[in-house]
């Protein structure tokens, strides 16, 4: 499937944006749903200071001089010291580094879960690190998918409900009820894709680690994101199961042209990636 | 959407939170029970207080009264107009009741009312409290043959019967006359026929025959009162004056309809007042179950009392009365009518008051009692709020990672807050709903519960001889219940605000790292 075809399909299947979010309100935003070639806007009014001057068409994500430090008592511990990173459309990028090298911190910054002390992050050419929290919420919900080392499923919900959670967050109550059949079908399809269609009604505690991670992947994919951010996705799994998870991610990357940024400390796993960058001393070195 | 799903799941899986709302449940249930019982008592009390008092009364400031009730009633109708439904004149005066019991004369202070039996029933519930079914339909001062209620008509079927009332009426009078004649036949001859030293009697000898039996042997040309065939003027006594609780809770009567009593009061003369003592025959008993009334009020026909007190002007043939009792049509504002009448009648001579004015201090005391009780009980629910607060803070800590996950999936701060506010609200709903059911069940079965507790502890919780009720009266007011439940919900939501804010403010990265 070509990139263009995929984006057209995803535009049609994507849940309509909730009215009232700044994404929908923004007057000059080109909405994904009516953009002819799938060029979708992320942020509201296209202010000049939010546009990445160095943006090229193939770039999904770019960071420029990211600094982040944490305070431990009176001591300021720098973690990232000027990270410059570019993620290209459709690639599987592995970020490797020692424990405590700031890989997870970098991933959290990319996901807008945390803000950098200094530096900028651009997503599809627009700056996202300084967006208001409401717009960052929408961005995380609609455009990014995240998977974690410890799966991070909601223990009270079963597999299907966990996968539906991002859609529930995206929709208003009446909107969800109106489209719940389509949503359920899509969640079931994606669970089938990751090979979990037989465990829809199971609670996370009844699943194996691999199954939990597959559920997390399905949850990350259900909103058809443009970027998948994976934080040590195999870190808590045995080698065999870890390879299966990697196969799933690799398949998504190849067949659906999904851009994936994966953080890992395991060189062997990183070798599966199209490109590897190494995080050393708070800076990026190409491997 | 996820908010409702998660609320529901948390509600079903977090037992500790449900435990924390038990105090809300108990608080709501207690408030419902207390309010129902209190309003039951208040309504019952209002009915009893109001039972004898008419809605509004215009009364003279002294015992002498004012002349010509008819003209006063016309004036009242002019002033109050459509609001007046019925009126009746009354004479009321302090008096002394003397009754012959067990060979001794016993005196009691009473409040004597002269009433018009035809119209009194229209302005107050007077008739409803009489013991003869016919008298309840139309009060009368004539002694009935029999048929007085041997079972309190205001009580449930399981109230104790009053077998003595079966004998009341003419039957009892015949028995009494025979017994009295027999008793007298045993007395020493020289004491017979000795008239009592009573200087108030002579001016109305025909009505007052202090010792009818003394006259019997002497053949006189004038009419001789025969107690076996005739009655004195009828009177209705409050039941508590002549009865007392016997063994096992039933009432014992010292006197029955058919017996004679003697009433002493003062004349209404502008000159020096004199005592008057006349004889009356008890024709019925009055039981409003307000001990204040039942132990003090005595009713006689108004014209007899006017005559007894010398309240009829012999020249103009105009009678004096003490008060005009007014019944208002339903829905009329008693206070407005009172104020209009106060303007129309000079305050130097007339007092105008509503029945609430008359019983003001008592009603105010009860109202205050209810308010204080409600405030105190509401504190129970407020305390429950702090329980919810503490448990919720715990749950937020426990759910820290979930909060981080939801934020990473794009849930907004408002959404996270909504989960916990909604959780608080649903806990409040569960707690107050359970309290509502518990409270209503308790109210509907309160008498069985009181009986059962009484049996188990051998101490009756609710003694009918003290309260004059056979059952604990309850009234469930939907409005009050709505306020109680609403208050409990507000407290539950208020106490979940702080934990919800805390959850919303959690930093997503720290929440995700939390183990």
């Amino acid at each position: 499937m070509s990139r263009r075809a995929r984006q057209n399909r995803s535009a049609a299947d994507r849940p309509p944006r909730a009215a009232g979010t700044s994404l929908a309100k923004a007057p000059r935003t080109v909405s994904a749903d009516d953009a002819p070639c799938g060029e979708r806007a992320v942020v509201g009014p296209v202010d000049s200071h939010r546009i990445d001057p160095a943006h090229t068409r193939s770039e999904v994500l770019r960071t420029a001089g990211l600094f982040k430090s944490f305070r431990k008592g009176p001591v300021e511990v720098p973690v990232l010291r000027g990270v410059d990173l570019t993620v290209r459309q459709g690639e599987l990028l592995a970020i490797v580094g020692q424990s405590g090298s700031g890989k997870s911190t970098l991933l959290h910054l990319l996901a807008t879960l945390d803000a950098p002390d200094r530096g900028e992050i651009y997503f599809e050419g627009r700056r996202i690190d300084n967006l208001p929290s409401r717009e960052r919420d929408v961005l995380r919900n609609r455009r990014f998918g995240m998977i974690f080392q410890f799966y991070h499923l909601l223990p009270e919900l079963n597999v299907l409900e966990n996968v539906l959670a991002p859609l529930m967050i995206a929709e208003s109550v009446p909107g969800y009820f109106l489209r719940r059949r389509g949503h359920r079908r899509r969640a079931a399809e994606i669970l089938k894709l990751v090979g979990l269609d037989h465990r829809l009604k199971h609670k996370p505690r009844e699943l194996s680690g691999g199954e939990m991670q597959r559920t997390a992947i399905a949850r990350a994919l259900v909103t058809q994101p443009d970027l998948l951010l994976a934080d040590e996705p195999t870190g808590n799994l045995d080698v065999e199961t870890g390879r299966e998870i990697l196969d799933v991610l690799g398949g998504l990357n190849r067949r659906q042209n999904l851009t994936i940024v994966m953080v890992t400390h395991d060189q062997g796993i990183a070798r599966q990636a199209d490109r590897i960058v190494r995080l050393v001393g708070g800076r990026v070195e190409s491997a | 959407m996820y908010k409702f799903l998660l609320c529901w799941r948390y509600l079903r899986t977090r037992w500790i939170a449900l435990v924390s709302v038990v105090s809300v449940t108990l608080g709501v249930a207690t408030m419902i029970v207390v309010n129902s019982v209190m309003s039951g008592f208040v309504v019952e009390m209002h009915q009893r207080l109001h039972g004898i008092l008419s809605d509004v009364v215009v009364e003279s400031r002294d015992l002498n009264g004012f002349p010509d009730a008819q003209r006063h009633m016309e004036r009242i109708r002019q002033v109050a107009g459509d609001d007046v439904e019925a009126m009746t004149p009354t004479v009321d005066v302090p008096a002394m009741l003397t009754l012959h019991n067990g060979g001794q004369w016993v005196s009691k202070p009473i409040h004597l009312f002269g009433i018009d039996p035809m119209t009194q029933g229209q302005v107050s519930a007077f008739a409803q409290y009489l013991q003869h079914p016919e008298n309840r339909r139309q009060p009368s001062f004539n002694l009935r043959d029999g048929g007085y209620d041997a079972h309190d008509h205001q009580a449930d079927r399981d109230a104790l019967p009053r077998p003595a009332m079966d004998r009341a009426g003419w039957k009892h009078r015949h028995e009494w006359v025979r017994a009295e004649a027999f008793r007298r036949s045993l007395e020493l001859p020289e004491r017979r026929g000795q008239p009592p030293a009573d200087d108030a009697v002579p001016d109305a000898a025909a009505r007052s025959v202090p010792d009818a039996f003394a006259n019997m042997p002497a053949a006189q040309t004038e009419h001789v009162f025969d107690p076996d065939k005739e009655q004195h003027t009828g009177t209705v006594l409050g039941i508590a004056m002549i009865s007392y609780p016997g063994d096992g809770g039933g009432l014992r009567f010292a006197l029955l309809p058919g017996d004679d009593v003697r009433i002493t009061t003062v004349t209404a003369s502008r000159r020096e007042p004199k005592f008057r003592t006349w004889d009356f025959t008890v024709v019925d008993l009055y039981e409003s179950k307000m001990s204040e009334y039942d132990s003090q009020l005595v009713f006689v026909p108004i014209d007899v009392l006017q005559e007894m007190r010398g309240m009829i002007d012999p020249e103009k043939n105009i009678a004096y009365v003490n008060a005009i009792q007014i019944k208002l049509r339903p829905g009329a504002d008693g206070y407005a009518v009172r104020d209009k009448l106060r303007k129309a009648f000079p305050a130097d001579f007339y007092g105008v008051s509503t029945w609430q004015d008359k019983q003001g201090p008592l009603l105010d005391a009860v109202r205050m009692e209810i308010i204080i009780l409600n405030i105190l009980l509401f504190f129970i629910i407020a305390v429950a709020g702090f329980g919810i607060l503490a448990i919720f803070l715990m749950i937020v800590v426990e759910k820290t990672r979930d909060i981080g996950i939801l934020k990473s999936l794009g849930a907004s701060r408002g959404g996270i807050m909504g989960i916990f506010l909604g959780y608080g609200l649903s806990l409040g709903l569960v707690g107050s709903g359970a309290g509502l059911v518990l409270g209503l069940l308790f109210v509907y079965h309160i008498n069985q519960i009181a009986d059962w507790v009484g049996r188990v502890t051998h101490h009756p919780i609710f003694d009918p001889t003290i309260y004059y009720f056979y059952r604990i009266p309850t009234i469930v007011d939907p409005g009050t219940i709505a306020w109680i439940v609403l208050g409990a919900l507000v407290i539950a939501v208020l106490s979940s605000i702080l934990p919800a804010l805390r959850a919303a403010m959690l930093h997503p990265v720290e929440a995700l790292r939390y183990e």
Side-chain angles (χ1 to χ4, degrees):
Chain A
M1 195 190 292
S2 75
R3 165 81 183 141
R4 187 169 172 151
R6 187 183 84 80
Q7 286 206 336
N8 279 342
R9 179 185 61 83
S10 70
D13 290 355
R14 183 176 303 280
R17 295 207 165 124
T21 68
S22 56
L23 276 171
K25 265 191 300 190
R28 284 161 64 192
T29 299
V30 184
S31 155
D33 301 323
D34 44 38
C37 62
E39 171 66 89
R40 291 184 292 168
V42 189
V43 295
V46 186
D47 303 328
S48 55
H49 69 276
R50 283 202 166 152
I51 294 180
D52 181 6
H55 180 62
T56 58
R57 214 78 195 162
S58 65
E59 254 176 46
V60 176
L61 202 65
R62 192 175 76 82
T63 71
L66 281 187
F67 281 83
K68 182 74 183 173
S69 56
F70 289 105
R71 188 170 277 284
K72 275 187 182 160
V75 193
E76 189 118 321
V77 183
V79 182
L80 303 179
R81 315 178 193 206
V83 173
D84 296 304
L85 181 72
T86 306
V87 181
R88 281 187 284 274
Q89 188 78 265
E91 75 173 342
L92 202 172
L93 174 70
I95 302 172
V96 292
Q98 302 284 312
S99 296
S101 61
K103 313 181 294 279
S104 293
T105 302
L106 176 59
L107 203 74
H108 291 146
L109 291 182
L110 297 182
T112 70
L113 285 170
D114 209 350
D117 297 337
R118 206 137 45 85
E120 295 112 51
I121 305 169
Y122 295 92
F123 175 65
E124 291 180 347
R126 267 154 223 144
R127 193 164 168 193
I128 57 169
D129 60 281
N130 57 358
L131 284 176
S133 78
R134 188 84 199 96
E135 288 180 39
R136 280 186 281 132
D137 290 339
V138 173
L139 191 69
R140 281 199 297 274
N141 185 238
R142 312 270 167 92
R143 313 297 301 275
F144 295 165
M146 289 197 78
I147 52 181
F148 304 92
Q149 179 178 1
F150 297 104
Y151 330 124
H152 284 348
L153 300 177
L154 293 167
E156 267 84 14
L157 306 183
N158 65 30
V159 167
L160 185 64
E161 287 161 345
N162 262 294
V163 174
L164 283 169
L167 295 173
M168 293 185 191
I169 289 170
E171 294 264 37
S172 65
V173 175
Y176 181 80
F177 265 101
L178 281 176
R179 286 180 281 276
R180 67 185 183 284
R181 272 198 198 159
H183 290 336
R184 281 172 166 275
R185 205 182 316 119
R186 177 160 44 200
E189 272 169 21
I190 288 170
L191 279 165
K192 193 170 183 176
L193 194 75
V194 298
L196 269 182
D197 46 333
H198 58 297
R199 316 218 73 171
L200 299 186
K201 298 288 173 194
H202 289 247
K203 289 279 166 64
R205 63 171 178 277
E206 298 158 346
L207 303 178
S208 70
E211 286 171 326
M212 282 198 264
Q213 197 60 294
R214 284 159 193 266
T215 308
I217 293 171
R219 179 179 66 185
L221 293 178
V222 78
T223 50
Q224 311 218 324
D226 301 288
L227 178 65
L228 188 67
L229 300 166
D231 187 2
E232 301 264 17
T234 61
N236 214 32
L237 301 171
D238 59 74
V239 178
E240 188 58 33
T241 320
R243 182 165 303 128
E244 283 172 28
I245 294 297
L246 277 181
D247 288 347
V248 171
L249 292 179
L252 287 167
N253 174 248
R254 279 189 304 279
R255 281 193 291 277
Q256 309 208 3
N257 206 21
L258 180 66
T259 314
I260 300 175
V261 177
M262 179 170 66
V263 157
T264 180
H265 66 279
D266 189 332
Q267 293 286 349
I269 287 162
R271 269 195 287 278
Q272 309 267 330
D274 302 337
R275 190 158 66 95
I276 302 174
V277 293
R278 196 178 302 278
L279 208 56
V280 181
R283 285 167 182 278
V284 167
E285 291 175 359
S286 282
Chain B
M1 183 62 211
Y2 66 106
K3 292 169 230 167
F4 297 99
L5 186 64
L6 283 172
C7 270
W8 176 237
R9 290 291 154 85
Y10 287 172
L11 199 62
R12 276 181 29 191
T13 53
R14 292 281 168 286
W15 286 102
I16 187 144
L18 287 177
V19 170
S20 76
V21 297
V22 166
S23 40
V24 173
T25 302
L26 291 179
V28 167
T30 316
M31 281 189 82
I32 288 174
V33 171
V34 166
N35 273 293
S36 301
V37 172
M38 286 300 273
S39 54
F41 268 104
V42 165
V43 168
E44 198 85 4
M45 205 179 74
H46 273 211
Q47 274 171 0
R48 278 161 199 199
L49 288 176
H50 196 175
I52 183 61
L53 300 167
S54 57
D55 295 329
V56 177
V57 60
V58 177
E59 55 194 338
S60 68
R61 293 237 181 249
D62 59 32
L63 287 179
N64 294 341
F66 47 81
D68 202 351
Q70 205 55 44
R71 231 184 58 219
H72 279 83
M73 293 203 283
E74 277 161 24
R75 180 84 183 105
I76 289 169
R77 207 171 273 286
Q78 271 174 19
V79 173
D82 297 337
D83 284 343
V84 176
E85 190 172 294
M87 280 181 281
T88 187
T90 58
V91 173
D92 61 289
V93 60
M96 187 173 76
L97 176 81
T98 309
L99 46 97
H100 198 222
N101 186 17
Q104 286 181 321
W105 292 100
V106 182
S107 297
K108 295 183 179 212
I110 56 163
H111 202 91
L112 185 61
F113 267 88
I115 58 167
D116 177 1
M118 300 304 288
T119 55
Q120 179 68 31
Q122 296 167 7
V123 300
S124 72
F126 166 74
Q128 264 63 64
Y129 300 135
L130 299 178
Q131 301 301 307
H132 197 284
E134 290 295 316
N135 284 348
R136 285 202 288 278
R137 279 201 298 114
Q138 177 56 56
S140 153
F141 282 107
N142 294 323
L143 185 61
R144 307 269 178 186
D145 281 334
Y148 291 88
D149 289 336
H151 186 280
D152 183 2
H153 71 279
Q154 297 176 73
D156 292 340
R157 294 306 320 169
D158 52 348
L160 286 169
R162 298 164 172 173
M165 291 298 279
D166 272 337
R167 296 201 314 273
W170 275 109
K171 194 177 162 204
H172 176 68
R173 192 164 177 84
H174 298 321
E175 281 171 14
W176 167 69
V177 168
R178 271 193 293 282
E180 193 70 357
F182 177 69
R183 192 177 65 77
R184 277 173 190 280
S185 71
L186 298 180
E187 279 183 3
L188 293 172
E190 58 268 29
R191 283 192 60 189
R192 240 192 265 168
Q194 191 181 336
D198 190 351
D199 48 9
V201 174
D203 61 347
R207 290 188 183 278
S208 175
V209 185
D211 197 346
F213 300 94
N215 295 332
M216 280 209 307
Q220 287 177 10
T221 47
E222 65 188 275
H223 173 70
V224 176
F225 181 78
D226 179 2
D228 202 25
K229 296 193 179 64
E230 291 173 80
Q231 65 164 94
H232 300 289
T233 306
T235 180
V236 174
L237 303 186
I239 197 164
M241 250 175 259
I242 47 105
S243 68
Y244 48 92
D247 298 336
L251 276 187
R252 291 175 66 84
F253 293 89
L255 210 116
L256 286 172
D259 281 315
D260 283 355
V261 292
R262 190 169 287 179
I263 294 172
T264 306
T265 186
V266 291
T267 57
S269 161
R270 300 279 167 203
R271 296 184 299 275
E272 189 187 354
K274 288 197 176 63
F275 288 106
R276 286 281 162 80
T277 302
W278 284 12
D279 280 358
F280 292 86
T281 298
V282 179
V283 296
D284 208 335
L285 299 174
Y286 170 85
E287 184 178 19
S288 68
K289 299 194 187 283
M290 265 302 287
S291 67
E292 186 191 337
Y293 297 156
D294 288 354
S295 63
Q296 286 193 10
L297 301 191
V298 171
F299 301 89
V300 295
I302 187 167
D303 47 341
V304 175
L305 188 57
Q306 281 166 334
E307 195 186 330
M308 183 177 173
R309 297 192 62 216
M311 291 173 94
I312 299 169
D313 190 328
E315 287 156 29
K316 298 180 202 143
N317 200 25
I318 292 172
Y320 280 64
V321 298
N322 283 105
I324 309 277
Q325 312 276 347
I326 304 165
K327 180 173 175 60
L328 303 178
R329 65 167 171 76
D333 181 1
Y335 295 105
V337 172
R338 175 195 67 187
D339 294 342
K340 273 192 261 181
L341 290 174
R342 275 186 181 167
K343 284 198 192 86
F345 291 93
D348 290 345
F349 303 108
Y350 300 96
V352 184
S353 45
T354 63
W355 73 273
Q356 290 100 326
D357 295 339
K358 291 252 174 194
Q359 293 290 352
L362 185 57
L363 295 179
D364 285 349
V366 172
R367 202 171 299 133
M368 182 57 84
E369 211 170 297
I370 292 176
I371 290 170
I372 297 278
L373 261 176
N374 271 310
I375 290 173
L376 291 181
L377 288 174
F378 202 73
F379 276 126
I380 294 182
I381 302 180
V383 168
F386 284 95
I388 294 177
L389 180 82
I391 300 265
F392 259 47
L393 282 173
M394 244 177 66
I395 289 178
V396 167
V397 170
E398 190 202 331
K399 289 278 146 208
T400 298
R401 216 182 47 149
D402 291 19
I403 294 161
I405 296 168
L406 286 168
K407 286 194 168 172
S408 78
L409 294 178
S412 62
R413 278 180 187 170
I416 303 282
M417 240 187 115
I419 293 177
F420 287 92
L421 288 182
Y423 190 20
L425 181 68
S426 28
L427 277 179
L429 277 172
V430 170
S432 50
L436 182 71
V437 171
L438 199 68
L440 289 180
L441 279 178
F442 197 98
V443 167
Y444 287 128
H445 298 286
I446 191 161
N447 285 298
Q448 285 100 305
I449 294 169
D451 290 347
W452 180 80
V453 173
R455 266 204 309 282
V456 169
T457 60
H458 300 291
H459 279 285
I461 297 287
F462 189 76
D463 186 355
T465 57
I466 295 173
Y467 294 101
Y468 281 98
F469 305 139
Y470 290 97
R471 295 253 147 257
I472 301 172
T474 55
I475 287 178
V476 176
D477 173 31
T480 310
I481 289 186
W483 274 113
I484 293 170
V485 170
L486 193 72
L489 290 183
V490 166
I491 284 200
V493 171
L494 279 182
S495 53
S496 53
I497 283 180
L498 192 67
L501 269 176
R502 201 193 138 125
M505 292 305 158
L506 277 176
H507 195 282
V509 170
E510 276 155 36
L512 279 173
R513 283 210 196 107
Y514 183 85
E515 283 303 322

